[in-house]
Amino acid sequence: MSDSQARPSITVDVVIFTLREDNLQVLLVKRKYEPFANQWAIPGGFVHSDESLEDAARRELEEETGVRDVYLEQLYTFGAIKRDPRGRVITVAYFALVPFTAVRGGSDASEARWWPVQAVAELAFDHSEILRYALTRLRYKLEYSAVGFQLLPEKFSLTELQQAYEIILGETLDKRNFRRKILEANVIEEAGVRREREGRPARLYRFRDDAVAEVRARRLFP
């Protein structure tokens, strides 16, 4: 078989986002081996012969964060011929949204670190391009879906919800307009508890079990 007929290898890369320390942060791992030894990269690996692409992505996610059953979405297939110095490697990129309170740390914890998205320097392979693509997709989805709830704890206040969206979008949202739109979207419900604080206790909400992340509400948070 000629080089032009050789089968390419398939990998998955998972951009893992969380909200931490008032920042949108992404989990990166430091590579131990060449190529790009000691450089930071998006977590990922080769797809096993007995698993689907999504199963491979979920395996990588659990290995790095210790969590499962969280929001995971396929982003794009990156297949530039020379994207990997080791040979012809095509990667299918995903992004995951993980509440930071759920992260336990995985098998590569000593080589993993959360980075504020704006502080990320050049990454190994074409991972800087993948990260930019994932961030653009996330911001776009916030405009028409409830996907941002996936980054929050099970119970949250409307203030915490608005702050999360402002952090991700990088802009300030009008408080009254935000609350009106999120309540009209009918994707949250009162949790029946309040959080004690100075002044009036904060009413807590939760994501409705019968609502979905793809609830359409055109430009819900413009």
Side-chain angles (χ1 to χ4, degrees), residues 12-74:
V12 291
D13 289 304
V14 187
V15 182
I16 305 170
F17 288 122
T18 196
L19 288 176
R20 178 172 179 255
E21 299 175 350
D22 295 325
N23 278 294
L24 178 65
Q25 301 202 9
V26 61
L27 188 69
L28 301 176
V29 294
K30 181 179 286 188
R31 289 182 56 80
K32 295 181 181 179
Y33 309 108
E34 295 292 351
F36 304 107
N38 297 316
Q39 292 192 36
W40 293 95
I42 294 168
F46 288 93
V47 178
H48 298 168
S49 60
D50 60 348
E51 64 183 352
S52 68
L53 290 171
E54 183 166 327
D55 286 344
R58 291 194 179 279
R59 171 175 53 78
E60 290 290 339
L61 173 63
E62 184 173 2
E63 287 176 358
E64 298 299 340
T65 67
V67 300
R68 61 176 69 185
D69 298 326
V70 296
Y71 186 87
L72 182 72
E73 178 178 324
Q74 189 176 122

Side-chain angles (χ1 to χ4, degrees), residues 112-217:
R113 173 181 162 188
W114 290 103
W115 290 78
V117 169
Q118 69 272 17
V120 175
E122 193 67 21
L123 300 176
F125 302 102
D126 53 355
H127 289 186
S128 293
E129 178 185 357
I130 294 174
L131 176 57
R132 287 192 295 268
Y133 192 97
L135 182 58
T136 298
R137 172 75 70 85
L138 175 59
R139 286 173 171 168
Y140 172 68
K141 289 184 71 68
L142 284 183
E143 295 184 348
Y144 67 83
S145 78
V147 69
F149 296 168
Q150 310 296 330
L151 289 165
L152 292 166
E154 181 181 357
K155 298 174 183 178
F156 48 84
S157 68
L158 291 179
T159 296
E160 289 169 336
L161 179 60
Q162 180 172 341
Q163 289 173 342
Y165 275 71
E166 288 178 338
I167 288 170
I168 298 168
L169 293 171
E171 59 183 276
T172 301
L173 302 173
D174 178 77
K175 178 178 178 180
R176 180 176 298 178
N177 190 47
F178 177 88
R179 295 191 174 201
R180 176 180 61 81
K181 288 189 173 184
I182 197 65
L183 292 174
E184 288 178 352
N186 202 30
V187 293
I188 63 174
E189 62 185 5
E190 292 188 24
V193 294
R194 294 174 181 263
R195 179 179 297 139
E196 295 298 326
R197 62 179 184 181
E198 292 187 12
R200 188 167 60 181
R203 181 176 298 169
L204 299 183
Y205 292 80
R206 61 189 171 209
F207 186 61
R208 284 180 48 191
D209 290 339
D210 58 346
V212 295
E214 297 299 330
V215 172
R216 301 283 173 168

Side-chain angles (χ1 to χ4, degrees), residues 97-115:
L97 305 180
V98 181
F100 185 71
T101 53
V103 176
R104 299 191 300 273
S107 59
D108 295 328
S110 62
E111 292 295 323
R113 173 181 162 188
W114 290 103
W115 290 78

